[in-house]
Amino acid sequence: MDPKVKSLASMMVMDHSKANEELKSTAAAKNITLPATVGDDHQDHITRLSQKTGKDFDKEYMDMMVDGHKKAIDLFEKEASDGKDADLKTWATNMLPSLRQHLDSAKAIRDMIKK
């Protein structure tokens, strides 16, 4: 409903699609099979969001974006520092600035729409 939420969602689709394509390419070159479907956590998020509309959807989505990006940053930082594969470490390191920007944007929008 909120134009800022829609704008962030569009940015997420674009940035995450690009990152996923890069990861798929790296995985294919290393004969790593990636999951074909979303995990249970993400499916639960999809289900919860599908039951919301309007402002309730916006609030739930923004809460998920903040929480999800915090978790992603933790995982990517771990991979960037402790990963065993140089290409994946580099990829994780390169993704961190974008993830941090997404988190900052998500926090700002979440805080704004909760007022």
Side-chain angles (χ1 to χ4, degrees), residues 3-78:
K4 290 176 184 66
V5 174
K6 288 180 182 181
S7 177
L8 180 74
S10 294
M11 180 179 69
M12 296 291 176
V13 169
M14 185 176 65
D15 291 353
H16 287 238
S17 294
K18 181 180 178 225
N20 285 340
E21 288 306 314
E22 290 172 8
L23 182 59
K24 284 180 188 177
S25 176
T26 300
K30 296 178 176 292
N31 292 319
I32 298 171
T33 303
L34 298 175
T37 59
V38 298
D40 291 342
D41 297 9
H42 289 87
Q43 188 56 55
D44 289 345
H45 290 173
I46 293 167
T47 300
R48 284 195 352 236
L49 283 173
S50 71
Q51 298 167 351
K52 306 276 184 182
T53 59
K55 290 181 180 185
D56 291 336
F57 177 94
D58 288 353
K59 289 176 183 178
E60 182 78 17
Y61 176 76
M62 294 313 304
D63 285 342
M64 286 179 182
M65 289 300 97
V66 170
D67 184 53
H69 280 84
K70 285 179 181 177
K71 289 176 182 174
I73 288 168
D74 288 344
L75 291 171
F76 278 62
E77 285 175 340
K78 186 174 182 347

Side-chain angles (χ1 to χ4, degrees), residues 59-113:
K59 289 176 183 178
E60 182 78 17
Y61 176 76
M62 294 313 304
D63 285 342
M64 286 179 182
M65 289 300 97
V66 170
D67 184 53
H69 280 84
K70 285 179 181 177
K71 289 176 182 174
I73 288 168
D74 288 344
L75 291 171
F76 278 62
E77 285 175 340
K78 186 174 182 347
E79 178 62 29
S81 64
D82 301 333
K84 304 295 184 232
D85 183 286
D87 293 331
L88 293 175
K89 282 180 74 163
T90 299
W91 180 78
T93 300
N94 291 341
M95 292 296 107
L96 280 166
S98 179
L99 289 170
R100 289 182 181 120
Q101 178 189 18
H102 290 174
L103 176 60
D104 290 344
S105 296
K107 284 179 178 177
I109 294 168
R110 180 200 60 192
D111 294 347
M112 188 173 28
I113 66 173

